[in-house]
Amino acid sequence: MEELKYSDFEIVPGEPDITDWEVMNEQGEKIGDVDDVLFDPESRKVRYLIIDMEINTLMLDNPYQVLIPIGLAKIDEEEDKVILTDITEKQLNELPKYERGIVTPEYEMAIRNIIEENIAVDSVEQWKDFYEHDHFTESGFFRNHNDENRNEKIQRVSIN
């Protein structure tokens, strides 16, 4: 997986660049800001938002960068904000710190175990279709979610 800002890719024209947008919970409390997105360059699908929680109104125990699966977020283009759904302050505090280059299957399982709370997964083999889960669908996130190319929101940068 790659961070968009360090790659040869960009968001498809017509889709919003959410970098630096505020991230809020459903109650309107600030969780942090979008630092970047983490995507799979092969499938060109965004998998995670990289959220910097340093400046928040929740008084979080661990205000560092974390990964949030794309399916837990929706955008509010009128307000230039990202709204996280179905995630608690407790879960945000438990998420492991994100550091560039450390996204392993075990790291992703730790995130999913925290978010899903009622499951415990010990190995990647237990998740045959890991990215087929609702946590990784972009359909509610990008605005043109009814088009047939909804998962192709990342494209290679054109160099003329």
Side-chain angles (χ1 to χ4, degrees), residues 6 40 44-45 50 55-56 72 74 83 87 91 95 99 112 121 135 138 146 149 153:
Y6 297 112
D40 178 348
R44 297 186 183 186
K45 292 182 182 180
I50 302 170
I55 300 173
N56 68 78
L72 296 179
K74 60 184 179 182
I83 312 299
I87 192 160
Q91 290 167 318
L95 286 171
E99 294 179 29
R112 190 157 167 189
V121 176
H135 291 160
E138 299 171 338
N146 290 325
N149 296 319
K153 300 302 180 190

Side-chain angles (χ1 to χ4, degrees), residues 23-121:
V23 179
M24 314 295 278
N25 63 16
E26 291 176 295
Q27 293 73 40
E29 299 166 304
K30 183 173 178 175
I31 293 170
D33 298 293
V34 177
D35 183 62
D36 202 359
V37 297
L38 199 65
F39 74 101
D40 178 348
E42 198 170 301
S43 68
R44 297 186 183 186
K45 292 182 182 180
V46 174
R47 299 297 187 194
Y48 296 96
L49 299 178
I50 302 170
I51 308 296
D52 184 343
M53 300 190 306
E54 184 177 352
I55 300 173
N56 68 78
T57 59
L58 295 176
M59 305 302 287
L60 295 171
D61 297 335
N62 302 311
Y64 43 66
Q65 286 191 342
V66 296
L67 296 183
I68 300 291
I70 190 74
L72 296 179
K74 60 184 179 182
I75 58 173
D76 178 345
E77 287 188 82
E78 290 181 16
E79 299 291 326
D80 289 351
K81 293 181 189 224
V82 173
I83 312 299
L84 295 187
T85 59
D86 300 322
I87 192 160
T88 66
E89 187 173 335
K90 177 182 180 280
Q91 290 167 318
L92 290 168
N93 275 319
E94 292 175 354
L95 286 171
K97 181 177 183 177
Y98 171 69
E99 294 179 29
R100 202 165 163 237
I102 66 156
V103 181
T104 63
E106 293 76 20
Y107 181 85
E108 290 185 276
M109 286 188 306
I111 293 170
R112 190 157 167 189
N113 283 335
I114 290 165
I115 291 170
E116 289 191 31
E117 288 187 327
N118 295 325
I119 65 162
V121 176

Side-chain angles (χ1 to χ4, degrees), residues 126-154:
Q126 288 179 286
W127 276 323
K128 183 180 175 202
D129 299 315
F130 188 82
Y131 295 115
E132 299 303 317
H133 192 278
D134 288 345
H135 291 160
F136 299 100
T137 62
E138 299 171 338
S139 60
F141 189 75
F142 288 107
R143 89 177 93 149
N144 296 325
H145 54 66
N146 290 325
D147 69 19
E148 35 187 83
N149 296 319
R150 76 167 187 248
N151 289 323
E152 296 177 9
K153 300 302 180 190
I154 304 285

